[in-house]
Amino acid sequence: MADSATPRTVDPTGDAVAVAFSGGLDSTALLHAATRVACRIAGQRVVALHVHHGLQAQADDWAVHCERTARELGAEFSCTRLGGSPAAGDSVEAWARAGRHRALHDMAVAAGADLLLLAQHRRDQAETFLLQAMRGAGSAGLAAMPRTQWRDGVCWARPWLDRPREAIQAYAEQHGLNWIEDPSNDDTRYARNRLRRLLWPDFASAEAGLAQAARWAQQADALAAEVATQDLALLATAERLDLAALSTLSPARASNALRAWLSAHTAAPASLVKRLPAEWRPGGTMSWPAPGGELHAWRDGLFWAPQSPAPAATAQLDLSRPGRYPQPAWGGTWLVESAGQGVAAARLAHLTQRGRGGAEQFQRAPASVPRSLKKACQEAGLPPWRRGGPLLFDARQCLVAVAGLGMDARAFADQEEPRLALRWLEDSALPQSEGEGGAAA
């Protein structure tokens, strides 16, 4: 088993290989195997990474045991203790898993390792498949754990994912290894432990079949991703999904493409993925809340709008010099540039920035007629959710510019004066309308 400790599909660029080391049977065997392989590779370092969760009374003793074992096996050792605790009502398992993943990544990077080995085996994979199935997961969830996966510059690899646990235990016993028995593994408050107690005594032979089902799900998920990529190349940009074209696909293919597009913006629940195409009507303007923001159907396209900050207070700005002026409360930036047509610099020294009041009028070009701001937004094709501002007014409270529309033509300076142009840059990637009378704002 030692020869299988380093995945052949990964070629680490660093001289260090990290091993997630809890001190239990599986990770102890993996650390032992990894150090044996490293002995045959000149300059190869193995670093054991231990996460102290602080959830068990024995956790301090376990950290001491892990450091001693790592040193005995010829590995370096690093340990991180998680801070804080799960919030009321939160899952202890989810809290510990998220903290563990962050800690393992950070320790691997600090050790100079871009390959992190984990000791999950075939039974772990079978359990993950079943737990995901009971949650109603799709192919991505049923695919369970990947053999290799890159995350922020570190490859997380599970070289023993196809190995039965019995083979790992036999290996550990053969080499006389000592490991920790975590009493929480018998705590039936945790779903995985309940599953282990109920399933494996009577259905031990199901392990291989469930793990194979996860491999089929991985293939199905990869195929779905390929089809979605092909469909979205014709149906979508990062900013807009063509709902009219999407509706011409088969229901399964449309759902697949929709989920792929949504995944770039939000973790949309399955209920939303089902509701959205059922509720949308051609030409309709609709909105759906989603984690982190809102989805908007407008002009037969679907758009994503990140969660809006709290309404911004009125502010005084000096935009009389070229540059970028971020407005975090509004989710964007004013860009000021020298221009052939624009506003006098002196007029931009004392500006008031605020939201819409309801009675404003906007003139897009010198020869055009001022229109109500609502009408101007409609004519410019500005999406409804981007019509709130900000607006800029000069010292006399005359409108100078509107985010998304541009500069008001009535504010343009005479040709003899130095002029600056204002442009509004959204923090999000939503489409921006260009003002006909000068640079867009």
Side-chain angles (χ1 to χ4, degrees):
M1 291 187 67
D3 290 337
S4 68
T6 303
R8 297 299 180 229
T9 56
V10 178
D11 185 15
T13 58
D15 64 352
V17 173
V19 177
F21 184 41
S22 68
L25 166 64
D26 306 328
S27 64
T28 300
L30 182 60
L31 182 62
H32 180 272
T35 55
R36 291 184 70 193
V37 171
C39 288
R40 304 199 294 265
I41 304 175
Q44 184 75 67
R45 299 160 47 229
V46 176
V47 185
L49 309 181
H50 180 74
V51 179
H52 186 313
H53 296 85
L55 297 175
Q56 299 284 345
Q58 309 96 315
D60 290 338
D61 294 337
W62 293 345
V64 172
H65 166 88
C66 287
E67 182 172 12
R68 182 176 62 250
T69 301
R71 304 298 185 196
E72 290 173 352
L73 294 177
E76 300 172 26
F77 181 76
S78 180
C79 177
T80 294
R81 176 163 186 160
L82 299 185
S85 60
D90 285 354
S91 164
V92 174
E93 293 171 288
W95 173 86
R97 180 169 56 250
R100 181 167 60 251
H101 287 179
R102 287 192 301 271
L104 289 173
H105 173 272
D106 293 347
M107 285 190 288
V109 171
D114 60 1
L115 177 60
L116 172 61
L117 304 182
L118 301 104
Q120 281 103 346
H121 45 71
R122 191 174 70 183
R123 181 170 294 180
D124 293 322
Q125 184 76 319
E127 291 168 355
T128 302
F129 176 88
L130 275 177
L131 289 169
Q132 292 287 3
M134 289 189 292
R135 296 176 184 131
S139 60
L142 295 177
M145 296 178 287
R147 184 176 174 84
T148 58
Q149 181 182 36
W150 284 91
R151 298 181 190 169
D152 299 325
V154 176
C155 180
W156 297 57
R158 299 172 175 87
W160 290 352
L161 201 55
D162 296 329
R163 299 272 181 167
R165 188 175 189 276
E166 291 78 9
I168 298 172
Q169 181 155 355
Y171 175 88
E173 292 173 349
Q174 175 189 351
H175 292 281
L177 303 180
N178 295 312
W179 59 86
I180 295 168
E181 294 289 355
D182 185 347
S184 68
N185 290 334
D186 296 324
D187 190 339
T188 55
R189 290 178 299 173
Y190 303 129
R192 189 177 290 265
N193 291 344
R194 292 197 302 273
L195 183 64
R196 287 171 180 168
R197 176 168 293 188
L198 293 171
L199 181 66
W200 302 128
D202 295 325
F203 296 96
S205 61
E207 177 185 307
L210 292 169
Q212 178 60 60
R215 287 192 290 273
W216 288 127
Q218 289 172 359
Q219 290 191 17
D221 189 53
L223 177 60
E226 289 181 18
V227 173
T229 298
Q230 295 172 1
D231 288 339
L232 292 180
L234 303 174
L235 301 176
T237 65
E239 298 82 24
R240 180 182 185 273
L241 176 63
D242 189 332
L243 290 173
L246 186 76
S247 66
T248 66
L249 300 179
S250 68
R253 192 162 180 169
S255 176
N256 182 57
L258 175 60
R259 284 183 279 115
W261 188 84
L262 289 174
S263 67
H265 304 289
T266 181
S271 58
L272 177 58
V273 175
K274 294 170 65 175
R275 283 179 50 215
L276 196 152
E279 296 176 359
W280 173 74
R281 295 293 180 269
T285 298
M286 306 179 68
S287 297
W288 296 268
E294 279 190 317
L295 292 160
H296 300 279
W298 181 67
R299 295 189 176 181
D300 289 349
L302 184 66
F303 299 86
W304 167 252
Q307 189 169 6
S308 300
T314 298
Q316 305 302 311
L317 301 181
D318 179 356
L319 304 183
S320 59
R321 291 182 293 178
R324 289 176 177 262
Y325 298 84
Q327 306 299 315
W330 287 98
T333 295
W334 287 110
L335 175 64
V336 183
E337 303 172 297
S338 297
Q341 187 176 48
V343 184
R347 192 172 183 179
L348 299 177
H350 303 284
L351 296 175
T352 299
Q353 176 176 262
R354 62 172 174 80
R356 289 176 60 177
E360 299 89 358
Q361 289 193 329
F362 180 81
Q363 183 172 329
R364 293 183 61 80
S368 66
V369 176
R371 310 295 299 272
S372 70
L373 192 55
K374 177 180 179 180
K375 190 67 175 178
C377 289
Q378 291 173 341
E379 292 176 347
L382 196 65
W385 59 95
R386 290 191 52 226
R387 298 176 184 175
L391 284 62
L392 293 177
F393 298 84
D394 65 12
R396 295 178 296 168
Q397 293 303 300
C398 296
L399 184 62
V400 172
V402 179
L405 289 182
M407 295 175 291
D408 192 299
R410 295 169 295 184
F412 289 164
D414 295 335
Q415 294 298 318
E416 293 77 18
E417 297 180 83
R419 294 168 297 278
L420 295 175
L422 304 178
R423 180 189 296 268
W424 176 255
L425 305 175
E426 287 281 340
D427 288 343
S428 67
L430 289 173
Q432 299 183 44
S433 297
E434 296 292 326
E436 295 172 0

